[in-house]
Amino acid sequence: MGVLVLGSANADLVVAVDRRPAGGETVLGGDTVVMPGGKGANTAVAAGRLGCDVALVGAVGADQYGSLLRESLVSAGVRVESVRTSDRPTGLAYITVTPDGENSIVVAPGANSDVFPSDVDALVWDGVSVLVCSLEVPLSTVEHALSVAAAHGVRCVLNLSPVTSVSAEAMALLDPLIVNEHEALALADSFEGLLALGPRSAVVTLGARGAAVVTSDGVVEVGAPAVDVVDTTGAGDAFAGALAFGLSRGDSLVEAAKFAARVAATSVTRPGAQPSYPGPAEVLG
């Protein structure tokens, strides 16, 4: 396979609201819609829908939500041999979406907390060219995976979301580190300053403006097509999956980021996370 994804698999419980509630306030919303999600599963599905040879390392519960996620992964062409069934319930994400397409999310990790370093040790790395991780699973497992992948000559990508403190040793393995604009400015005083944290390169997603690619040669911004936003849920994961796919097929980091920005822009024109991800012919130009 070209890409290995290590990360979470959640069921997204999505409610449309006119506005987010303030503290102590109740707001009525629409009917709850249940969709497959989770940063790891989203990233893998985004890559799989594009035709990438991809597998997910993760865990789900022995419940209806776990079945939903496995079905979504398999239907997108994602290999699930390394998705374990845990004694804990499948992770859940409670998502409110406002009319402008913006979302607020609370995640209950559940089975995602049961993704262990031993799951990494059981992997076969033959044919893997890119590992992409995110942080809704234990940090110790992510850092172990990055170390093992690097030892096998695999390119390491980390979507540092949600933001947490990562060891200097793990940071030094990244090529690139992916963060959004808010995360970038929380970590450093400039995009260029991200490299002082240790990664060989960084990519900062800029929403509707595309992305910024940061290397030792400087910052290159890539644009995204203008679209009518329906739902931004999972757009960053779509970007990460498309970027990893681009890198696995030999694209430069700038080329991969340009492609990923187009994929992410396409995804926000549709509701949900995984259901919104395009196939190759659907990616907007």
Side-chain angles (χ1 to χ4, degrees):
M1 74 204 75
V3 173
L4 187 64
V5 178
L6 186 145
S8 61
N10 297 325
D12 290 347
L13 308 184
V14 185
V15 179
V17 294
D18 289 334
R19 60 182 177 83
R20 297 180 186 86
E25 182 184 19
T26 298
V27 173
L28 292 179
D31 292 342
T32 299
V33 178
V34 181
M35 299 183 183
K39 287 188 172 297
N42 288 351
T43 300
V45 167
R49 288 261 175 86
L50 294 167
C52 180
D53 188 4
V54 58
L56 176 67
V57 183
V60 297
D63 50 36
Q64 61 181 357
Y65 298 129
S67 298
L68 171 72
L69 283 155
R70 287 185 182 277
E71 290 168 6
S72 180
L73 290 161
V74 170
S75 68
V78 179
R79 300 176 189 233
V80 295
E81 295 91 342
S82 297
V83 178
R84 277 195 304 102
T85 299
S86 166
D87 293 334
R88 301 183 67 170
T90 299
L92 295 176
Y94 302 89
I95 303 173
T96 59
V97 180
T98 49
D100 60 359
E102 290 299 320
N103 60 69
S104 296
I105 305 173
V106 175
V107 174
N112 296 304
S113 298
D114 282 350
V115 182
F116 300 124
S118 57
D119 294 313
V120 175
D121 294 334
L123 296 172
V124 175
W125 293 88
D126 293 348
V128 178
S129 58
V130 177
L131 169 72
V132 55
C133 302
S134 54
L135 289 172
E136 287 178 344
V137 295
L139 176 60
S140 58
T141 303
V142 170
E143 292 188 337
H144 181 63
L146 293 170
S147 176
V148 172
H152 282 86
V154 173
R155 186 168 188 165
C156 294
V157 178
L158 174 63
N159 184 8
L160 189 57
S161 182
V163 170
T164 190
S165 179
V166 177
S167 70
E169 292 79 8
M171 277 287 194
L173 302 175
L174 304 182
D175 187 16
L177 165 71
I178 303 175
V179 289
N180 66 30
E181 189 169 14
H182 301 293
E183 293 160 347
L185 296 178
L187 291 167
D189 57 6
S190 66
F191 293 170
E192 294 92 335
L194 291 171
L195 299 188
L197 301 176
R200 301 172 197 176
S201 62
V203 176
V204 182
T205 57
L206 304 174
R209 302 187 343 259
V213 178
V214 187
T215 67
S216 58
D217 293 329
V219 179
V220 176
E221 290 201 12
V222 300
V227 298
D228 293 325
V229 176
V230 172
D231 184 358
T232 61
T233 305
D237 305 328
F239 184 96
L243 183 85
F245 175 42
L247 294 175
S248 74
R249 66 186 182 185
D251 292 355
S252 71
L253 186 55
V254 169
E255 290 171 338
K258 287 179 180 177
F259 175 64
R262 291 166 50 211
V263 171
T266 306
S267 77
V268 303
T269 65
R270 308 171 182 179
Q274 292 177 32
S276 74
Y277 297 157
E282 300 172 302
V283 178
L284 297 174

